[in-house]
Amino acid sequence: RGGAGAHRFAPGRVTSGPRITMGSTMHATQEQLREAKVDLAYRDFCAHLLIPLNDCRKANYFLPWRCGDERHVYEKCQYKEYMMRIAQQKANSGGH
């Protein structure tokens, strides 16, 4: 592992698979999600990040101290999507 700020998995460093960016568009196709066996409940705008996270988890026998970088990127995406939904909900309700 690298020092502070060094990440094995970072947006823009992925060489294969779906492109990793943030936004409200699907980056993984339904076929990719089906092949990766991503459950329907997790097929959201961050599902493209769940594929490498689950691959890492399987490769490391689900050890909780492994795959931290992948988990952080996935959870950050989930948080940003949540914040976008909250902002949209407030805008739709007139800010109340």
Side-chain angles (χ1 to χ4, degrees):
R1 293 185 80 114
H7 296 283
R8 291 175 294 139
F9 181 82
R13 289 183 41 187
V14 175
T15 57
S16 64
R19 190 172 159 209
I20 297 177
T21 57
M22 182 62 200
S24 294
T25 59
M26 293 295 290
H27 296 284
T29 65
Q30 290 300 318
E31 182 60 31
Q32 289 170 320
L33 296 171
R34 188 174 21 261
E35 286 175 10
K37 298 179 181 174
V38 174
D39 192 77
L40 290 174
Y42 296 100
R43 293 186 186 186
D44 58 9
F45 297 117
C46 299
H48 62 287
L49 299 170
L50 191 57
I51 295 170
L53 174 57
N54 284 341
D55 288 344
C56 180
R57 287 172 169 167
K58 290 173 193 170
N60 289 288
Y61 304 102
F62 290 84
L63 294 172
W65 57 87
R66 298 283 175 100
C67 310
D69 296 333
E70 293 87 346
R71 187 175 64 248
H72 174 74
V73 171
Y74 174 72
E75 289 175 352
K76 184 176 181 179
C77 179
Q78 289 284 305
Y79 176 74
K80 285 183 176 181
E81 284 295 325
Y82 170 76
M83 295 306 289
M84 287 174 59
R85 286 193 308 270
I86 296 299
Q88 184 178 22
Q89 184 179 26
K90 284 183 179 180
N92 290 341
S93 68
H96 298 279

